[in-house]
Amino acid sequence: MTCDEWFLLVFKKIKLQFVAFLKRGFSMAEQVSSSEFLQGEISKSIEKLKGKVESSKKKAVWANALSITLGAVITLTLGVDVSDEYIHLQKNLALAFGALLTVISSWNALFDYKKLWIRQKNTLLSLYQVQNELGYMKSKNDESQLDDVFNKYQCVWDKDSREWISIFKVQRLLVIMRRKMKWEKFCEYCQSASTKNCDSSDTSA
C-alpha cells in the first residue's frame, strides 16, 4: 500500500465518522424539537384551560348564590304581612322573583357549570401530570418514550371529549323527562277539569 492509498483510506474513514456524527446531531436536534413542541402544546393547553376553570367556577358560584338568594327573597316576600292595598304588589313581586328564579335555574341546569368546572379541573390536573412526566424525562435526557407521553396527552383530550358528550346526553335526557312530566301534569289537569265540568253539568241537570 502506497502512502497516497493510505491517506485516502484514512480520509474515507474520517469522512464516514464525520457523516455519522452529523446524522446523530440531526437526530438529537429532531428529538429536542419534538420534545419542545410537545412541551409548548401542553403549556398552551394548561394556560387556556386555567382560564376556563376559573370562569366556570365563578359562574357555578354565582348561579347557586342567585338561586338561593331568590328563593329566600320569595319566601320573605310571601311571608311578610302587608295591608290590603299592597297585596297585589306583594303577589306581583313574588311572581317576578319566581320567574327570575326559574330562568336562572333552567340556565344552570342547561349548562351545569358545576359539573363543567369539575370536568375541566380533572382535565387540568391530568395535563399537569403529563407535563411533569415530560419534564422528568427531559431532565434524564431520555426521550425514548416521547411518543408515549404524546399518546397520554392525546388520551387526556379524548377523555375530556367523551365526558363532555356524556354530560350533554344526560342534560338532554333530563330536559326531555322534565317536558314529559310537565305534559303529563297538564293532561291530568285537563282531565280533572273536564271531570269537574261534567259533574257540575250533571248536578245542574
Side-chain angles (χ1 to χ4, degrees):
M1 178 182 295
T2 62
C3 184
D4 293 337
E5 291 177 349
W6 183 81
F7 276 113
L8 183 60
L9 181 61
V10 172
F11 178 75
K12 287 182 178 179
K13 288 183 178 180
I14 294 174
K15 182 179 179 181
L16 290 174
Q17 291 179 358
F18 181 72
V19 171
F21 174 76
L22 289 178
K23 288 183 178 179
R24 288 197 299 269
F26 284 129
S27 178
M28 291 177 63
E30 289 176 357
Q31 289 180 357
V32 171
S33 63
S34 298
S35 62
E36 292 297 331
F37 169 77
L38 183 57
Q39 182 72 35
E41 289 296 317
I42 295 174
S43 299
K44 286 190 294 185
S45 299
I46 288 175
E47 291 299 322
K48 185 177 180 180
L49 197 57
K50 281 171 64 176
K52 291 184 177 181
V53 169
E54 291 298 326
S55 177
S56 298
K57 182 180 179 180
K58 290 179 181 179
K59 290 177 181 179
V61 171
W62 276 105
N64 292 328
L66 286 175
S67 298
I68 295 172
T69 302
L70 286 174
V73 169
I74 293 171
T75 302
L76 290 175
T77 303
L78 294 175
V80 173
D81 293 330
V82 296
S83 58
D84 294 339
E85 58 180 339
Y86 294 109
I87 288 180
H88 293 291
L89 178 61
Q90 182 185 33
K91 291 181 179 180
N92 292 332
L93 287 175
L95 182 62
F97 289 137
L100 185 58
L101 178 60
T102 302
V103 171
I104 294 175
S105 300
S106 301
W107 186 270
N108 191 26
L110 179 62
F111 293 99
D112 203 348
Y113 292 113
K114 183 178 180 180
K115 190 173 291 185
L116 180 63
W117 168 52
I118 294 174
R119 177 181 64 82
Q120 292 174 345
K121 187 69 174 179
N122 290 333
T123 303
L124 183 62
L125 293 176
S126 299
L127 288 176
Y128 276 127
Q129 291 178 352
V130 176
Q131 187 183 48
N132 292 335
E133 185 175 351
L134 178 61
Y136 177 72
M137 187 179 64
K138 290 176 64 177
S139 66
K140 293 175 62 178
N141 294 324
D142 181 17
E143 300 184 358
S144 58
Q145 297 180 350
L146 187 62
D147 291 336
D148 295 335
V149 177
F150 180 74
N151 290 331
K152 290 181 180 179
Y153 173 70
Q154 293 289 86
C155 289
V156 169
W157 287 117
D158 290 340
K159 182 181 178 182
D160 183 80
S161 299
R162 289 195 300 269
E163 289 180 354
W164 184 85
I165 293 173
S166 63
I167 291 173
F168 178 77
K169 288 182 178 179
V170 170
Q171 290 176 345
R172 186 176 181 182
L173 181 61
L174 290 174
V175 171
I176 293 174
M177 290 177 64
R178 287 171 182 170
R179 289 178 179 177
K180 184 178 180 181
M181 291 175 63
K182 289 181 180 179
W183 175 254
E184 290 177 351
K185 289 182 180 179
F186 177 74
C187 292
E188 290 177 358
Y189 173 78
C190 293
Q191 186 176 1
S192 62
S194 61
T195 303
K196 290 181 180 178
N197 292 331
C198 291
D199 294 339
S200 61
S201 61
D202 293 338
T203 304
S204 61

